[in-house]
Amino acid sequence: MTIHLAGNGGVGFYLLPSLVRAGIKDIISYDPDTLEGGLGHMRLPRATPATKKISLLKGFIVASMGDLTTGVKFVDGLFSGYEVAAGDLVLDCTDMSLTNRKPMYENVIKAGGRYLRINYDGRNDTVVVAEGLPLAGRPGGGY
């Protein structure tokens, strides 16, 4: 089983080191974004706005825990769901709109994977873990 972690912002950024620290090795982490735009970067270590989240995350793991990233693949790109094989687990930590998230979810389910959403609500300091798609979402995405 491979774990696919989509989104390395405020939620995924801290989830991945926890998985690595727990000894999980077969992880692929996806994020094409920089720290520019949005507010999720406010919870991340400081870096220039042009810094790729994926680079910041790998550097954070190496600096804070030593190089425990063996077995972890960092992909500077969007996760589509086509990367999944039967039995894989997807941890969706993105803030994509429901319109953009739905095809990803459908690809994961079609491949025989399991899909969990992990989101931070941004208001009540609550992290929500749920299986499947949200019933509703903000039109432009976000938490």
Side-chain angles (χ1 to χ4, degrees), residues 24-72:
I24 298 170
K25 298 290 184 186
D26 198 3
I27 304 170
I28 306 172
S29 187
Y30 306 80
D31 200 314
D33 294 338
T34 65
L35 298 178
E36 295 172 311
L39 299 175
H41 71 279
M42 291 172 40
R43 294 183 292 275
L44 305 182
R46 291 181 189 245
T48 61
T51 301
K52 289 284 195 170
K53 289 179 187 175
I54 206 88
S55 298
L56 183 63
L57 177 54
K58 185 174 184 180
F60 176 77
I61 293 171
V62 171
S64 63
M65 297 186 291
D67 193 2
L68 299 177
T69 59
T70 302
V72 178

Side-chain angles (χ1 to χ4, degrees), residues 119-128:
N119 297 105
Y120 173 72
D121 76 357
R123 290 183 208 100
N124 301 313
D125 296 327
T126 303
V127 174
V128 177

